[in-house]
Amino acid sequence: MISKFILWTMPIVNRMCWIVCFALGLGVLPGASFDRAKFAVVLAAPEPNFDDSPATVTILRALNKPTHVEWHERPLPDCIQYLGEYHGITVRLDEDALNAAQISLDLPATLTLQGISLRSVLRLLLEPLALDYVVDEGEIVVTTRAIAGEHLHEFMYQLGGVVRSGIPLASLIDAITQTIDRPSWKVNGGKGAMRSEQQTLHVRQRMDVHVHLQVLLRELLQKIDGVSAADIEGRLETNEYRIADLQNKGISDSDILKWLTEFLLVESSAENGDNRPASIKENTLILTQPAATQDAVSEFFHWIDFLNKNPDYQPRRESFEYAASMLSFDAKRRIASKRMAKPISFDFRDLTREDTFLYIRESTNFNIYVNWGAIERAGIDLNARCTLKADKMQLENVIDQLFEPHKLDWYLPEPDLFVVTSRSAAAARMEPRVYRTERILAAGQTQEGIVKQLMTTIEPASWSANGGPGTVRPLHNLLIVDHNRRVHEQISRVLEIDRTK
């Protein structure tokens, strides 16, 4: 066993003091319901209850806000204190419970992450120690998994978009309890419960189940909207952005275009003919890009303008990277999908595992987290080297081919966070997705037939009906599936659905 608690990521540049001060101010920004996204929310946040204390409301929203950590061999109590100070909230250790469980707090943590939600930082920090956290009376309390599992939180989800689409909340409740963490619901013998009230869903559950549910509801509303990734990318708009402040502070036009391409995937005429030009004329940036890219650029300059209000601020590549880390969840997810689908050519010979991780970091700008514990338990030899050659292969397929011979796998719990783990650990990680099926239904197939086809042709033993963890449930002309990343990829191919939709 590894003798100490280590969380490893590829290093990133140190931040200036003004960045830390800027980040500390994020706690005052509003949270987001599922009907409308807002700035500076890494993940979707549930609406707090009306009777929650102001301190609890602040904490619930802070859990979804970007967090920046650079820890090297730092004691856990210091990490907990730092997170509380960073977000201006109370984060403490349940020392009585931890001592009773004979859990040592002396193990050091090494973790470097930029722009990742506080809830994910806590998850990566606590999981290797078999710890968890609860929100209790205006505090985040780090405690044992057993205690956290008994602590239920009640959140409200505003789902007007679901109701307006014609889906009764009663049908949605049935679909949720049969797919998302099934044993945890009261109807299946657990303790979790939910009820609907007009357009609001009241859910009482463990915090980790709420996180799972939030992902499902975000997926559901996007599929109800019915706009495909191809449609979004095909609609071009021309917008202008004034960049005189950046130019006056010494940033060259070529660097502005280069960094926008690097961090926001703004496509230039050099790559796409004259279809999607990006150019600068005097003090104006002129972009003809898809609407989604324009939205991301607008968000990006919102944060650049915020930083520019500091007279001592000097823009540089790192500040562009930081502003990009502040984009909304949806903007980040679109950028991440485009990065993973990017065709690349390569010729790797005798590539070390460390160089493999570095390559992924440089190709994606993602934070890299390596789950050393799962890799060690699987007996994976990280000294093995890789040799691989291909021409214009999608990046995600490149990574799969680099990892597969060594029983490694990966997933993205957040758009910016790339987790490397063992194949078995990745297979056990469930994530909900929603698929539109009206085209198949119009061709004469039934929802029951689609479900049967998936369960009998795609890893049959992995479905709950056969003793596995995966679940599937029809919901009107949609299909809710809770399974691992690789199964979702196979489902997408079977249903002929663009995975970025």
Side-chain angles (χ1 to χ4, degrees):
M1 292 291 294
I2 296 176
S3 60
K4 60 183 179 179
F5 166 40
I6 296 179
L7 299 174
W8 181 91
T9 63
M10 303 309 284
I12 58 176
V13 293
N14 291 325
R15 307 295 163 204
M16 302 293 288
C17 290
W18 60 263
I19 290 183
V20 175
C21 295
F22 166 59
L24 285 171
L26 294 177
V28 302
L29 293 173
S33 73
F34 281 98
D35 280 334
R36 186 173 66 174
K38 299 181 181 178
F39 282 129
V41 178
V42 178
L43 296 175
E47 286 297 322
N49 294 320
F50 293 113
D51 57 351
D52 280 336
S53 68
T56 297
V57 171
T58 298
I59 286 174
L60 293 178
R61 291 174 175 170
L63 283 167
N64 297 284
K65 297 295 176 60
T67 307
H68 303 261
V69 299
E70 295 188 30
W71 297 329
H72 179 69
E73 298 288 309
R74 192 163 185 171
L76 178 63
D78 289 355
C79 297
I80 297 300
Q81 180 181 356
Y82 168 87
L83 293 175
E85 293 174 351
Y86 186 95
H87 287 280
I89 59 178
T90 300
V91 186
R92 68 174 178 85
L93 294 169
D94 185 355
E95 295 187 4
D96 291 341
L98 300 181
N99 289 333
Q102 297 182 331
I103 296 175
S104 172
L105 302 179
D106 296 331
L107 298 174
T110 295
L111 182 62
T112 301
L113 295 170
Q114 173 193 352
I116 301 305
S117 70
L118 173 58
R119 71 169 73 251
S120 285
V121 171
L122 284 168
R123 189 68 58 203
L124 297 180
L125 179 65
L126 300 178
E127 275 190 348
L129 294 175
L131 299 179
D132 207 338
Y133 70 91
V134 299
V135 176
D136 187 31
E137 296 183 356
E139 299 179 323
I140 292 178
V141 182
V142 175
T143 186
T144 64
R145 285 181 178 172
I147 291 177
E150 295 295 319
H151 192 104
L152 302 185
H153 303 77
E154 184 166 343
F155 294 151
M156 295 186 299
Y157 299 91
Q158 306 298 333
L159 298 175
V162 174
V163 175
R164 289 190 293 273
S165 74
I167 298 177
L169 290 188
S171 298
L172 177 60
I173 288 174
D174 177 68
I176 290 172
T177 56
Q178 298 306 312
T179 55
I180 304 299
D181 299 274
R182 291 181 71 254
S184 69
W185 298 101
K186 186 174 294 186
V187 295
N188 302 319
K191 296 183 178 181
M194 72 177 82
R195 62 183 175 85
S196 61
E197 182 180 344
Q198 296 181 340
Q199 298 183 356
T200 302
L201 197 63
H202 297 258
V203 182
R204 182 171 175 79
Q205 259 291 5
R206 303 192 315 265
M207 183 64 77
D208 62 312
V209 180
H210 276 291
V211 173
H212 208 168
L213 176 59
Q214 290 166 24
V215 177
L216 169 66
L217 294 178
R218 177 175 289 275
E219 280 270 322
L220 178 62
L221 283 178
Q222 288 180 338
K223 293 305 182 292
I224 286 174
D225 288 341
V227 180
S228 70
D231 292 337
I232 292 174
E233 290 298 310
R235 293 200 307 265
L236 300 183
E237 301 176 355
T238 299
N239 290 348
E240 297 183 354
Y241 305 87
R242 292 186 58 81
I243 56 173
D245 289 342
L246 292 174
Q247 293 171 324
N248 292 338
K249 291 194 173 183
I251 300 297
S252 68
D253 292 352
S254 61
D255 278 343
I256 292 174
L257 290 174
K258 179 175 67 176
W259 295 337
L260 285 174
T261 300
E262 179 179 357
F263 296 118
L264 277 71
L265 296 189
V266 169
E267 299 179 74
S268 65
S269 56
E271 298 174 350
N272 299 283
D274 293 326
N275 189 31
R276 301 183 180 187
S279 62
I280 293 176
K281 184 177 181 180
E282 296 180 351
N283 62 1
T284 302
L285 169 68
I286 305 172
L287 298 180
T288 300
Q289 301 286 317
T293 301
Q294 299 285 13
D295 290 343
V297 173
S298 296
E299 283 188 48
F300 174 83
F301 279 114
H302 166 87
W303 296 111
I304 290 294
D305 290 344
F306 187 96
L307 296 175
N308 264 327
K309 293 178 181 178
N310 184 337
D312 298 325
Y313 163 67
Q314 291 297 323
R316 61 193 72 183
R317 180 186 179 279
E318 289 80 10
S319 59
F320 271 57
E321 182 179 15
Y322 189 88
S325 76
M326 303 303 296
L327 296 177
S328 65
F329 178 91
D330 289 332
K332 286 185 175 182
R333 185 161 74 166
R334 285 191 294 267
I335 292 171
S337 295
K338 290 175 68 176
R339 288 194 194 283
M340 297 305 290
K342 181 174 61 177
I344 61 172
S345 300
F346 58 89
D347 186 1
F348 298 142
R349 297 181 184 275
D350 208 27
L351 192 70
T352 67
R353 185 61 54 205
E354 183 176 351
D355 286 341
T356 302
F357 298 151
L358 181 59
Y359 170 78
I360 296 170
R361 163 64 183 167
E362 292 178 344
S363 300
T364 62
N365 285 316
F366 293 157
N367 292 270
I368 307 290
Y369 169 75
V370 180
N371 187 338
W372 293 116
I375 290 172
E376 185 182 62
R377 288 190 294 273
I380 295 172
D381 179 13
L382 287 177
N383 293 320
R385 294 174 178 258
C386 302
T387 297
L388 192 64
K389 182 178 180 180
D391 182 45
K392 294 184 178 179
M393 179 185 291
Q394 286 190 340
L395 178 58
E396 62 180 306
N397 294 331
V398 173
I399 297 172
D400 281 339
Q401 291 202 22
L402 287 172
F403 282 4
E404 189 169 4
H406 308 288
K407 298 181 181 179
L408 290 173
D409 208 341
W410 61 274
Y411 59 88
L412 301 176
E414 290 187 23
D416 290 2
L417 180 56
F418 186 98
V419 174
V420 181
T421 188
S422 66
R423 177 62 64 86
S424 57
R429 182 187 178 275
M430 300 292 102
E431 54 184 83
R433 294 190 191 175
V434 181
Y435 299 91
R436 297 182 65 89
T437 58
E438 67 264 56
R439 185 173 58 182
I440 300 177
L441 295 175
Q445 180 65 282
T446 64
Q447 291 282 42
E448 293 75 15
I450 297 172
V451 170
K452 182 178 180 180
Q453 179 186 5
L454 296 180
M455 294 180 62
T456 56
T457 61
I458 300 176
E459 301 188 23
S462 69
W463 298 96
S464 59
N466 301 318
T471 54
V472 55
R473 190 80 171 186
L475 181 66
H476 286 224
N477 62 347
L478 303 170
L479 206 62
I480 295 178
V481 181
D482 198 39
H483 221 303
N484 61 53
R485 178 185 67 85
R486 289 188 177 275
V487 168
H488 280 301
E489 289 180 350
Q490 296 178 67
I491 292 173
S492 296
R493 289 192 290 269
V494 168
L495 299 182
E496 297 181 347
I497 294 176
D498 181 358
R499 280 170 288 171
T500 63
K501 183 175 177 180

